[in-house]
Amino acid sequence: MPKLVFFLGPAAAGKTTLAKAIVAKRPAAFLDMDTLSRPAAETIMRLSGLDPNDRDSPIYKQHCRDLGYRITMDAALENVGIGVNTYVVGPFTKEIADPLWLEQELSRAGASLSHIAVKAIYVYLPDEHAYRLRLAERGSVLDAWKLENWAAFSPSLERQDIQWPLPASAKLYVDNSDILSDEKLSMIEGFIYGGAEKDNLRS
C-alpha cells in the first residue's frame, strides 16, 4: 500500500527541511507546493500587473492559491496511484480544517483511505517570536509582506488540529524549535514507516 505523507504547518516552521531529510534516507516522490506552483503564480501575478513574489494579497489568494494546491495534489495522486510513496509539503491551512477534504481528494483518483496509507505531520514553532526569527533568517522575498504586515499575518501561525478522519496514530504534531537531530529524524521516520507511533513529538 503506497504512503501519502503530508508535511503541514505555517510558514517557516521547517516542513520542507524535515521532509527532505526523511526523503534523503527513504527515497520517495517529493512534492513541495511552493516549488510546483511558483511558475504559474509568478506568471499570473505578472500578467495582472502585480508583484510576482506576492503570496499574500487577495488577488494571489483568489487566482493562485487553490491552483497551486490543485497542481500539487494532482501530481501526488498520480504518484500514489502507481504505487509510489509520496511526500507533500505545504501549509494546507484551509484543507486540514475540512474533515471531508482528504477523502474527496482521494476519490478523484478512485482511491480511499483503505487503498492509501495517509500520514499527516503538522510542524510548528512554539510562539510568534520563533516564527518571526525564522522568517527573517531565511531572507526569502516571498516573506517580505509577512514581516512588514505582521499583525495581519501572524494569526495564520496559530497551531491547528488536523480534522481529517485519520486515526491518532496517523497524525503527528512536531515542535520544530530545536535542532534537527538524528533522534528526531529517526522518530519521524518511525512514525511514517512503523515502529514509532506517537501522537506528539517534542524533543
Side-chain angles (χ1 to χ4, degrees):
M1 182 183 294
K3 298 181 185 300
L4 176 58
V5 184
F6 291 89
F7 286 78
L8 314 162
K15 305 179 293 296
T16 302
T17 299
L18 282 178
K20 284 183 174 180
I22 300 297
V23 167
K25 300 176 69 176
R26 297 267 198 153
F30 176 83
L31 305 175
D32 187 322
M33 194 271 289
D34 285 342
T35 302
L36 292 175
S37 65
R38 187 165 186 166
E42 289 179 346
T43 298
I44 291 169
M45 296 302 286
R46 191 176 289 112
L47 290 173
S48 300
L50 300 170
D51 180 1
N53 295 315
D54 173 13
R55 296 296 181 273
D56 298 281
S57 72
I59 293 293
Y60 171 81
K61 292 177 180 177
Q62 179 182 357
H63 295 293
C64 303
R65 187 222 183 255
D66 289 349
L67 174 62
Y69 281 97
R70 183 73 273 134
I71 291 170
T72 303
M73 286 307 301
D74 282 352
L77 293 169
E78 187 169 41
N79 274 277
V80 294
I82 57 174
V84 177
N85 291 339
T86 302
Y87 290 8
V88 178
V89 182
F92 286 82
T93 306
K94 180 172 66 175
E95 290 74 15
I96 62 175
D98 181 356
L100 302 178
W101 180 86
L102 178 60
E103 290 176 302
Q104 290 172 343
E105 282 296 310
L106 295 180
S107 70
R108 292 175 66 94
S112 69
L113 290 170
S114 62
H115 299 97
I116 297 172
V118 177
K119 298 289 182 79
I121 302 170
Y122 188 93
V123 186
Y124 68 95
L125 298 178
D127 53 49
E128 287 186 23
H129 178 67
Y131 282 108
R132 188 156 195 161
L133 284 177
R134 285 268 183 93
L135 286 166
E137 286 172 356
R138 71 184 189 178
S140 171
V141 294
L142 303 181
D143 296 330
W145 185 94
K146 298 176 178 65
L147 292 168
E148 292 168 4
N149 298 271
W150 192 254
F153 166 71
S154 58
S156 70
L157 302 174
E158 183 177 351
R159 178 176 158 178
Q160 294 182 259
D161 290 327
I162 301 165
Q163 299 300 321
W164 300 337
L166 299 173
S169 60
K171 301 177 185 179
L172 184 68
Y173 295 88
V174 179
D175 180 340
N176 199 34
S177 55
D178 58 358
I179 62 171
L180 184 56
S181 65
D182 290 339
E183 180 184 11
K184 176 183 284 188
L185 288 177
S186 293
M187 292 183 75
I188 296 173
E189 183 181 5
F191 164 76
I192 296 171
Y193 293 96
E197 293 184 346
K198 295 180 180 295
D199 297 335
N200 295 277
L201 171 60
R202 296 182 180 90
S203 301

